[in-house]
Amino acid sequence: MSERYLKWMDRLYLLAMAIAGVSLLVMTIVIPIGIFSRYVLNRGESWPEPIAIICMVTFTFIGAAVGYRAGSHIAVNMLTDRLPETLKNLCARIVDLLMLLISALMFWYSFWLCIDLWEQPVAEFPILTSGESYLPLPVGSAILILFVLERLLFGSQEHRPVVLIGNHS
């Protein structure tokens, strides 16, 4: 059971990394298009800004889950590095439980935000509603919950081959 769960988390990790990467790429392409249109063509387009914002939100929330699983997030270990091993482990579990709580709260509130705004159109980008544009929040939170549960049940996954892709250290 555990190996099957870890394999699914590996697939989810790769998918989330690809989504975050594509959203970052699209954002870096769309922003210069908007700038070029506004300052060179003297015609401000309405669509680049909402697309860039959606890409930024997607990259932030889905990328945060990827960073958490890879252990590449910012961590201040000055205090915990000086603790005995048992207290280090206890602090790590407390942090994971707090991450689970925060992720669950983010999921809950962002889910209801999407529901409340589902029919509200985005004026600058009419093919999308506000609720749809906020979907990366509950999706990223759900992915983060799965990765936190994985860490609580099976320990850190920072050294799995799929997580080490691209690391040359």
Side-chain angles (χ1 to χ4, degrees):
M1 173 66 183
S2 66
E3 193 56 41
R4 187 179 320 171
Y5 184 82
L6 293 174
K7 280 186 179 187
W8 277 104
M9 291 302 98
D10 285 347
R11 291 181 183 132
L12 181 60
Y13 174 80
L14 288 173
L15 177 64
M17 190 177 355
I19 290 170
V22 166
S23 68
L24 183 61
L25 177 66
V26 169
M27 184 175 66
T28 58
I29 292 170
V30 165
I31 290 173
I33 289 172
I35 293 169
F36 180 81
S37 171
R38 180 173 307 266
Y39 294 107
V40 175
L41 300 178
N42 225 7
R43 184 184 76 211
E45 299 291 339
S46 63
W47 59 269
E49 185 180 354
I51 288 180
I53 290 170
I54 290 167
C55 289
M56 183 186 66
V57 169
T58 302
F59 171 73
T60 301
F61 281 87
I62 295 183
V66 169
Y68 178 81
R69 187 173 196 238
S72 60
H73 50 79
I74 296 173
V76 179
N77 299 328
M78 186 175 62
L79 175 66
T80 56
D81 284 348
R82 289 162 175 72
L83 293 175
E85 200 61 37
T86 54
L87 286 178
K88 278 185 191 178
N89 292 335
L90 176 66
C91 287
R93 292 305 128 233
I94 290 171
V95 166
D96 290 338
L97 290 171
L98 289 172
M99 274 301 295
L100 186 61
L101 175 66
I102 290 167
S103 301
L105 288 171
M106 279 188 340
F107 176 79
W108 176 261
Y109 286 107
S110 62
F111 174 81
W112 289 109
L113 176 69
C114 288
I115 295 295
D116 290 343
L117 299 177
W118 196 257
E119 297 297 323
Q120 181 179 338
V122 176
E124 299 86 8
F125 199 64
I127 65 169
L128 202 62
T129 68
S130 291
E132 293 166 340
S133 69
Y134 286 119
L135 271 177
L137 280 73
V139 170
S141 300
I143 294 170
L144 189 55
I145 288 169
L146 291 172
F147 289 160
V148 172
L149 288 173
E150 176 188 47
R151 184 179 292 229
L152 283 167
L153 294 172
F154 307 112
S156 173
Q157 302 302 310
E158 298 171 21
H159 302 294
R160 289 185 68 78
V162 71
V163 176
L164 294 174
I165 291 174
N167 286 348
H168 299 290
S169 51

